[in-house]
Amino acid sequence: MAQTPQTLSNLKDLRAAVEPPAAPREAPEKPKRDALGRVYATGKRKNAIARVWLKLGKGKVTVNGRDQEVYFARPVLRMVINQPFVVTNRVGQFDVVCTATGGGLSGQAGALRHGISKALDLYEPGLRKALKIHGFLTRDSRVVERKKYGRAKARRSFQFSKR
């Protein structure tokens, strides 16, 4: 078995023969707006679901017919909701109308953030990279573990003895 001497040019030719041609670059995705210039997205977290409509405006966020300051009284929850706008430098440019159901306020705020991020991605596909890097497009799949039989809660066992 004789081996032929390999040169760099031979290796480049071999590589070109083995590798498939590069795929053509895809055109950037077009925005998916309706006739009124709105986009719709659904966000989820824990047991909460937020249906979000996003359109150009002055930055007003309405949740279940109430202003965000009234519905989400804690500043931390309002900060969570505004994170997608801060990351993409779009603070005060969009109006958000949302219907939130299920879960508690924290879960609803997380679901609203997820929905706003998905809606921003649909409205302006160029923002996807910034939203993806910060993890706003990924649904947080953690949910409460169910209670098991023979246990006090999901994992806690019953008291073994009093003393």
Side-chain angles (χ1 to χ4, degrees):
M1 210 183 261
Q3 285 195 340
T4 59
Q6 298 287 331
T7 64
L8 288 176
S9 61
N10 291 348
L11 290 176
K12 286 180 184 175
D13 295 339
L14 181 65
R15 181 174 156 201
V18 172
E19 283 186 358
R25 292 180 117 203
E26 291 184 25
E29 212 175 301
K30 288 195 171 189
K32 295 183 170 93
R33 301 179 196 143
D34 66 2
L36 299 174
R38 300 174 303 183
V39 290
Y40 169 79
T42 305
K44 296 180 180 181
R45 179 161 198 285
K46 293 187 177 178
N47 283 333
I49 299 171
R51 300 185 306 155
V52 178
W53 288 269
L54 187 81
K55 65 177 180 177
L56 280 176
K58 296 185 173 139
K60 185 177 180 188
V61 179
T62 307
V63 184
N64 292 345
R66 289 187 267 172
D67 200 39
Q68 75 169 344
E69 282 81 20
V70 175
Y71 195 83
F72 295 110
R74 287 187 283 171
V76 173
L77 298 179
R78 291 195 300 268
M79 181 208 55
V80 166
I81 291 167
N82 288 320
Q83 282 176 337
F85 296 123
V86 172
V87 166
T88 57
N89 295 323
R90 301 290 187 271
V91 177
Q93 294 182 16
F94 290 98
D95 286 345
V96 177
V97 177
C98 169
T99 305
T101 58
L105 288 178
S106 175
Q108 287 182 358
L112 184 51
R113 179 180 78 173
H114 185 224
I116 289 171
S117 302
K118 286 170 65 174
L120 277 171
D121 179 32
L122 291 173
Y123 195 91
E124 210 174 321
L127 302 176
R128 182 174 179 82
K129 186 175 182 183
L131 293 167
K132 189 89 170 149
I133 287 172
H134 288 86
F136 296 155
L137 295 176
T138 306
R139 190 233 196 265
D140 190 355
S141 60
R142 296 176 296 172
V143 292
V144 178
E145 193 174 349
R146 77 171 190 85
K147 183 197 178 302
K148 277 75 166 194
Y149 57 88
R151 296 264 172 185
K153 298 200 303 187
R155 298 191 178 202
R156 189 195 186 294
S157 56
F158 293 114
Q159 182 175 332
F160 180 66
S161 70
K162 228 168 199 176
R163 288 183 200 224

